[in-house]
Amino acid sequence: MLFKRPGVGDPLPVDSVTAHVIDPVTEALTDLHRRLGALRDGEVADYIPQLALADPDDFGLALVSMAGRRYQAGQADTAFTIQSVSKPFVYALALTDLGAQEVLRYVGAEPSGESFNAISLKPGTGRPANPMINAGAIATSALVRAAGPGERFERILACLSAFAGRSLDVDEDVYASEAATGDRNRALAYLMRAAGSLEADVDEATDVYFRQCSVRVTAADLAVMAATLANGGLNPVTGRQVVTEPTATRTLSVMATCGMYEGAGEWLMNVGLPAKGGVAGGLIAASPARFGVGVYSPPLNSAGNPVRAVAAMTEMSERFGLHLMHRAALPHVATVTAAERWERDGRSVGFVSAQGTLEFTETEALLNAIREATPPAPGRVVLDLTAVTGISSGPAVMLAAVLADLHGQGHRVAVAAQQALLQAGEGRPRTWEAFTTREDALAWCEDRSQGA
Ligand code: GLN
């Protein structure tokens, strides 16, 4: 016999159970890695000596889902420096410390259409165009609250680590190389300081920024970091809320319009996802509420973004239909399962039932069904939401407004729903009777009819 059959009671090795199950996500990453690894375009950054040492053949891809599951292909565990991919995360930290309005006083949120180290300061105020280019990133990093530069960098490192879900460290050689050759960044900082948009000391501010750029990560780390932004600031691997949801949303917005430097417009058109690239070859892309991707591949295109990462994300976006402007699939199952009206004992009853999760589109369909089923003269409206599993807060407000309106018009309204859904509405003035089963709601209708 070729294979030894495990005896009764032998624990089955886990690998033998899972090894042959097809995993389409890993297959997609492996396929991209195999085909795009052959791309020879682009140049490894050499503006600082340490970066020029990178191997142009290194190529790793990783993806983390909202459930915290990890997938990867190629050199996803090879370490490199984060460089400009740090910018959105430090922006999120500054937003957390100061609030969006205050941060906007120092750093704009407009695409510059220029390269990463362009001057891009607004005439008059000296305010940098956005936090994704160097000038804006230096100003942003200086906004992080701290007693001094040492503490400021510690807070930045702790923030990047929380996004990655593990303790990150600094590549001291890259840092030294960066600091030794960083005159253009110092020049940007001097210009901002002269114009009043940078209050910190130039050497201190740029030193923190150089350290921030020299933090070591892997493609697998970047995927967790991107997934945390895609997941409303909640790290799907560690379960820690790293930043608030509005902060994650703002950060992704600035990434979408400014993340890819002078390639940002074309990127948004072709790929349609918020992203950020760095000169060492790292790139993140976030598909909101779906997943985060991290890519590592050192050769860069003329806009300073990693060539293979751009190609990989373009393909992935097409293959999985990820473009943000792509019309989302309409629900396969109808939300509204019944909408009818009947007369009993001289009273009109409108009845509507629905199922599933109520987001905007589903709620809009439900509200339309309620309008159609509502009796023309004051009567009864029964809403059976017992098969509804969730409702977002905006749609819940829309539904509450319609129920209040029905009440105002003299209708008596009964809602049957799961306990959790009924509790979600607590604290608001109730203009309807609550039940947990459709039968109870309908019985209430009839009782009233009899009593009338
Ligand atoms: N450390 C680099 C710089 O400031 C980061 C730039 C980048 O990754 N595009 O020049």
Side-chain angles (χ1 to χ4, degrees), residues 181-242:
T181 59
D183 283 346
R184 186 173 173 100
N185 284 324
R186 291 191 188 92
L188 291 173
Y190 273 115
L191 284 173
M192 290 190 288
R193 195 167 147 84
S197 56
L198 179 74
E199 287 164 8
D201 173 83
V202 165
D203 284 327
E204 285 180 2
T206 48
D207 190 67
V208 171
Y209 172 72
F210 295 146
R211 281 188 183 278
Q212 163 190 329
C213 288
S214 308
V215 168
R216 222 183 328 226
V217 289
T218 65
D221 290 327
L222 291 187
V224 181
M225 299 174 84
T228 301
L229 287 178
N231 196 32
L234 177 73
N235 185 318
V237 174
T238 63
R240 176 169 166 202
Q241 189 78 44
V242 180

Side-chain angles (χ1 to χ4, degrees), residues 380-442:
R380 305 274 192 264
V381 177
V382 178
L383 214 50
D384 175 12
L385 303 182
T386 49
V388 167
T389 46
I391 181 164
S392 311
S393 54
V397 171
M398 286 159 59
L399 178 60
V402 168
L403 297 185
D405 185 42
L406 291 173
H407 177 77
Q409 291 178 30
H411 297 286
R412 293 188 156 275
V413 184
V415 178
Q418 295 170 23
Q419 205 60 49
L421 207 68
L422 293 173
Q423 275 160 2
E426 266 168 19
R428 297 190 194 137
R430 186 56 98 56
T431 55
W432 36 276
E433 288 292 320
F435 301 94
T436 50
T437 68
R438 172 208 317 228
E439 289 67 33
D440 288 348
L442 287 168

